[in-house]
Amino acid sequence: MVGFGVPADIFARYHRLKGSDVLMVSGTDEHGTPVMVAADNEGISPAEAADKYNRAIREDLRALGLAYDNFTRTTTANHADVTQDLFRTLYERGFIFEQSMLVAFSATTGNTLPDRYIEGTCPICGFESARGDQCDNCGNQLDPIDLIDPRSRVDGTTPEFREANHLFLDLPAFAEQLADWIGKQEHWRPNVRNFSLSYIKELRARPITRDLDWGVRIPVEPYASDESKRIYVWFDAVIGYLSASVEWARNRGEPDAWREWWQNPDARHFYFMGKDNIVFHTIIWPSMLLGYGAGGELGGGRRPLQLPDNVVASEFLMMESRRFSASRGVGIYVNDFLSRYDPDPLRFYLTAAGPETQDTDFTWSEFVRRNNDELVATWGNLVNRTLTNAQRNFGAVPRPGELTQDDRELLRMVETAFPDAGREIEAARFRAALSVVMGAARGVNEYLTRQAPWALIESDRERAGTILYVALRAVDSLKVLFTPFMPFSSQRLHELLGHGGTIAGELEFRTVDEDGRSHEVLTGSYANWIGEWKPSDLSPGQKLQEPRPLFTKLDPKVVDEELARMEKAPVS
């Protein structure tokens, strides 16, 4: 969530409030060995494992409020069609070629060992638990044969390597174009740009087929007739953004609508992820897009598919100073977290203290501190005391008298937070944007403390009403400013202030029928949402609802309880 989920949603929600046309798509990546490993561990088929985790992930994303236009999956017929079209086109253009490679087999069973069934020491950084396809420590792609002291994750034996023919993507063919393109992306985060430029220096062709029976079928002979070979997930997964867009268009009954996003040079593409996925989005996917151009059945000879405008990759999030690891029981599942806590405090924490530009550490003590000292004591307290005083003494938004200089300066301060926070969000500096908004909330708190309208109710009711009117307008504006970060509490506040309509409503699952099969996607009807990225024009006389706290103060003993729970119940 800290890498792809919350940052992407902040970005999309901001742009929707600003009035931009937004298409936010993704899906569960269900091919390749990770699903096969999970299926084997649980004694079920890969298809059953894919269904299980797709359902769980969709529910988590909806619970966290990630406002996708289409969150789908890669086991659809549509995705297979789009993937095969790109593969076939690149093959026909000479960017995919056959070459022999060493394939790992189990010394115990004689069966093929998929890449992620193999672990060993990374030859680049020395990490002792690198996978056979990628090192999670340094982010570099690997082949099993690259590992030092490779071993089977199944039984610990050393795999046997035998030669077999496979198809390779000719990445070196795009090296010059990639270097020129990446070199111009000075707005990218330094970790993304520097890693990518360094990676290009030793670019080599990558195998994009494997000896598997789970995945998209290879559309060129003789591989198309071979039941034991499939397109590998390295090639398949990144195409999911495009195939999800094609599916979105078909679901709308406008099958060509995706072209306005992918073949329109005015459309801007932003990708969100953790840093271990940088190479797929700055090297492999751009190479595929360059090679495909405007060709293939999908492209239809029109404009070429557009390259990424920004690849927003976060660093790693640690857990109480330890690396997240499901096998080692270090981590937190979203559904488990949300069974005890609200989603907005988590979204707030992952933005304010997340690994935007450097590795950071999730600790329960810091989560409780930020919840209590920042959300409850600053923003929640401002909302509660403003609405309580206004509702108790006036029942509605008071009609103001003449505004003082202090009143006008406060409203100007809040007004400037819109362009200031907006610039930071557009530059993918979400922590800085949230800091701007929190700073504005602190400024309104200071104004209220300074003006003390509750002390003036008896002696100067008109002035007290004017102060509360100014504070309510500021709170109404802050509600919008906080919406991309904390949509659930912002919608509740929207209603407490007496507004109708939706600025951040419920998301929904919809069933998509396809070739006699069906699957569910996460989506929403965002065209009906009424919020706008601009200061409040709250009307005097608007009836206020009975105030309710936006956030819950957490008992400090939560920290010890959660640490004990983590030690007692390893993640499975």
Side-chain angles (χ1 to χ4, degrees), residues 371-384:
N371 179 84
N372 292 349
D373 295 353
E374 297 179 14
L375 279 186
V376 175
T378 299
W379 175 223
N381 178 56
L382 169 61
V383 169
N384 190 60

Side-chain angles (χ1 to χ4, degrees), residues 86 89-90 93 95 169 171 173-182 282-295 304-308:
L86 264 75
T89 303
L90 290 169
R93 292 186 167 187
F95 296 121
L169 179 61
L171 293 176
F174 304 100
E176 187 174 338
Q177 288 174 279
L178 289 172
D180 179 66
W181 169 64
I182 295 170
T282 64
I283 304 295
I284 295 178
W285 181 226
S287 295
M288 293 161 61
L289 292 170
L290 289 169
Y292 187 81
L305 301 178
Q306 295 298 301
L307 292 172

Side-chain angles (χ1 to χ4, degrees), residues 147-398:
L147 296 173
I148 300 168
D149 298 325
R151 59 190 177 275
S152 167
R153 289 185 57 185
V154 179
D155 56 20
T157 60
T158 302
E160 298 175 359
F161 290 94
R162 308 172 197 165
E163 281 202 358
N165 287 339
H166 278 281
L167 294 171
F168 285 62
L169 179 61
D170 188 5
L171 293 176
F174 304 100
E176 187 174 338
Q177 288 174 279
L178 289 172
D180 179 66
W181 169 64
I182 295 170
K184 296 175 181 177
Q185 310 307 314
E186 296 182 357
H187 58 286
W188 286 7
R189 290 178 178 174
N191 66 323
V192 177
R193 187 169 177 270
N194 294 340
F195 176 87
S196 302
L197 288 173
S198 177
Y199 195 91
I200 290 174
K201 295 176 182 178
E202 298 183 10
L203 205 56
R204 56 178 176 166
R206 302 302 302 182
I208 55 172
T209 61
R210 284 293 192 275
D211 293 283
L212 302 168
D213 58 4
W214 174 250
V216 176
R217 294 293 297 270
I218 303 168
V220 298
E221 294 292 357
Y223 295 86
S225 301
D226 191 337
E227 287 282 350
S228 67
K229 293 186 187 292
R230 293 291 190 276
I231 295 174
Y232 193 49
V233 68
W234 282 348
F235 186 91
D236 155 35
V238 288
I239 297 172
Y241 306 114
L242 175 59
S243 65
S245 305
V246 173
E247 181 183 272
W248 163 82
R250 290 174 180 169
N251 293 346
R252 288 166 55 93
E254 303 173 11
D256 279 339
W258 68 271
R259 298 185 187 278
E260 277 301 302
W261 303 95
W262 285 90
Q263 294 181 313
N264 180 357
D266 294 329
R268 300 184 65 197
H269 293 214
F270 293 77
Y271 294 77
F272 297 83
M273 72 215 64
K275 69 178 178 182
D276 52 335
N277 280 316
I278 290 174
V279 67
F280 296 100
H281 297 82
T282 64
I283 304 295
I284 295 178
W285 181 226
S287 295
M288 293 161 61
L289 292 170
L290 289 169
Y292 187 81
E297 295 178 6
L298 195 67
R302 304 188 190 188
R303 292 171 173 173
L305 301 178
Q306 295 298 301
L307 292 172
D309 288 281
N310 202 345
V311 177
V312 184
S314 300
E315 298 292 296
F316 285 147
L317 182 69
M318 309 289 280
M319 172 66 192
E320 299 285 350
S321 300
R322 292 183 285 175
R323 282 184 61 84
F324 277 87
S325 170
S327 61
R328 295 174 178 84
V330 181
I332 307 172
Y333 279 129
V334 170
N335 61 352
D336 180 56
F337 184 98
L338 295 183
S339 69
R340 295 184 295 282
Y341 309 101
D342 292 331
D344 276 356
L346 177 59
R347 291 175 61 113
F348 178 85
Y349 181 97
L350 294 180
T351 305
E356 189 170 286
T357 55
Q358 62 183 15
D359 292 353
T360 58
D361 196 26
F362 179 96
T363 67
W364 283 106
S365 59
E366 182 67 359
F367 170 71
V368 171
R369 186 196 70 77
R370 285 187 177 272
N371 179 84
N372 292 349
D373 295 353
E374 297 179 14
L375 279 186
V376 175
T378 299
W379 175 223
N381 178 56
L382 169 61
V383 169
N384 190 60
R385 65 177 179 161
T386 301
L387 266 67
T388 297
N389 277 282
Q391 202 272 342
R392 179 187 300 153
N393 292 292
F394 295 93
V397 178

